[in-house]
Amino acid sequence: MRWERAKSFIIIFFAATNIILALLIHHEAEAHSLTTERETALNTVLARNNIVLTNQLVNNFAPMRLLQLDNYDYDIDRLLAMFFPEDADIAHATATNFDEFTWQNSQLTISNGYIAFVAGHGVIGVPEIAAAIELTQNFIDTYYPHFILDINSTRLARRGGLRLFYRQEYQGQIIHTNFVEFLVTGYGDNLAEIVIEEVDIQYGVPIGFMYLPQNLVGPDEALLTFMQNIRLQNTETIFINHMDIAYFQTMSGLRENYLPTNVYATPFYRIFVEGYDSPFLINAHTNQIF
């Protein structure tokens, strides 16, 4: 009998605990969500300044931690296998923190943590975007399966062709500065007639989230900072096509004497604006534009 009463008490205790936790979580979510009043005020200010939001605002801005990354440490043999035939007679030139590999018209350069490959096909033209995505996705699936297409960064290249960006997704978060960028050239949607002309790669291996979560400024505050900056350089109507939060690494991980140091990525608001190649970046902890 006593055991039955004890079990009933335990069940009631856990039920009450779950209710309290649910209320706390709900309260925490509301505290870091944009209210209707703040969103209305923001839209009024943006409208007065001829800035148009064509997509939804970031609604949740719960505290986030810093992300620690390992220093750039590339496997050169793997990179050579990615870009050159197995039997290629590759020429190698090297200097401090610099390597260059060439074979026929192809060139691979590794410098200060940045990888640049030029295939040397000499193909021109702008392909259909669906075909370009299919071609590049095959490369990503093979070599960088944790990277996903950043469709908002896709753009026409000034020299002709399409530039597509894939960025690493780590525990549900996008790392903006871990990327594979492609230049795809050719015409139409026939995969046999389009080529990957250039590949640029940069990444640091994620180690994990560090320290306590830090509060983020609201998306309305970030957009007001953006508004003040854009109006210093552009008086035309501005169209914001997309806004999100991604991790951004602001330092290279190398000191002047090339000794490694700790590298951290910070949450940044990314604001994609029509007519601009790259997003505007605003530190979500400090509200400072990068």
Side-chain angles (χ1 to χ4, degrees), residues 17-34:
T17 301
N18 287 336
I19 292 172
I20 292 171
L21 286 174
L23 291 172
L24 289 173
I25 292 170
H26 178 72
H27 175 74
E28 180 74 9
E30 284 192 336
H32 299 103
S33 297
L34 202 62

Side-chain angles (χ1 to χ4, degrees), residues 128-140:
E128 295 291 334
I129 188 169
I133 290 173
E134 183 178 352
L135 179 64
T136 54
Q137 189 66 57
N138 289 336
F139 182 98
I140 291 295

